[in-house]
Amino acid sequence: MTVDIVLNILLLSFLAITGLAIARVRNLFPVAMLTGLYSLLSASLFQLLDAVDVALTEAAVGAGVMTVLFLATFGLTRAREKSVPRSRTAIGLVVTGLTGAALFYASLDMPHFGAADTPVQEHPLRERYLETVREEIDVPNAVTAVLASYRGYDTLGEVTVVLTAGVGVLMLLGVSRRGRHDDDKEP
């Protein structure tokens, strides 16, 4: 086996272990830290797969912004997860199952992976991008090259939207925290 395959298997194993740990832990601070770790492991896996744009987004949003939002939320909530009655757990399981079934049903209408007659395979610029991307940009992944260079302004706009949403959430958390009275806080 090559080094890349071993690293992929190792990262996938760490992702599975981290996911199981997140599901088992009831204290919210370790859950927030494990979620950040999960995002960093995912970003590392995307980097190994040469999807630098996805890795950067996952590291910034998943490990950075979301971890900060989780930690900021702890000032407004309890440190431990409350027990959930079995009836609510069953409802959550049913809703999750129905959502999964709906997504699976919707995926049946998608074209087969790699089929030659899909719109993405028939786009007129496809051949030009695939043939000239290495000479023009020298990026190993064609998707990253298109997103980072040819569609740079779109990507900058998407990053701006994510940043604005994160700042808005932080502002909301700050406003609601200041509006709380000391006698309303739980011990």
Side-chain angles (χ1 to χ4, degrees):
M1 285 199 296
T2 65
V3 175
D4 285 343
I5 294 173
V6 171
L7 284 174
N8 285 340
I9 292 171
L10 190 63
L11 282 173
L12 284 173
S13 301
F14 285 148
L15 281 169
I17 291 167
T18 306
L20 290 172
I22 289 170
R24 301 284 304 160
V25 174
R26 295 290 174 231
N27 194 344
L28 296 179
F29 181 76
V31 168
M33 295 298 105
L34 286 170
T35 304
L37 176 65
Y38 191 91
S39 292
L40 283 176
L41 289 170
S42 296
S44 300
L45 185 62
F46 293 140
Q47 175 65 33
L48 279 177
L49 297 173
D50 285 332
V52 181
D53 54 327
V54 179
L56 183 62
T57 303
E58 181 64 32
V61 175
V65 173
M66 290 308 299
T67 303
V68 168
L69 289 176
F70 284 151
L71 294 175
T73 305
F74 289 159
L76 304 173
T77 61
R78 299 177 183 194
R80 289 191 58 80
E81 180 181 359
K82 289 192 326 186
S83 297
V84 177
R86 290 277 185 208
S87 62
R88 289 189 64 195
T89 304
I91 291 171
L93 186 60
V94 169
V95 169
T96 303
L98 289 174
T99 304
L103 289 173
F104 180 76
Y105 178 74
S107 72
L108 295 176
D109 197 28
M110 294 174 58
H112 294 287
F113 181 75
D117 61 344
T118 61
V120 108
Q121 302 291 346
E122 296 174 350
H123 195 278
L125 290 176
R126 176 185 170 269
E127 292 299 324
R128 180 188 177 280
Y129 285 151
L130 292 177
E131 291 171 3
T132 63
V133 73
R134 291 224 186 239
E135 294 83 32
E136 290 181 359
I137 302 173
D138 194 31
V139 174
N141 186 311
V143 174
T144 301
V146 169
L147 288 176
S149 181
Y150 298 123
R151 294 190 55 211
Y153 289 117
D154 289 345
T155 305
L156 178 64
E158 292 167 9
V159 170
T160 304
V161 167
V162 169
L163 176 68
T164 305
V167 169
V169 169
L170 286 174
M171 288 174 62
L172 286 173
L173 287 173
V175 168
S176 64
R177 183 181 184 130
R178 272 187 249 120
R180 233 174 141 176
H181 298 291
D182 288 335
D183 56 345
D184 290 342
K185 292 183 181 175
E186 292 182 17

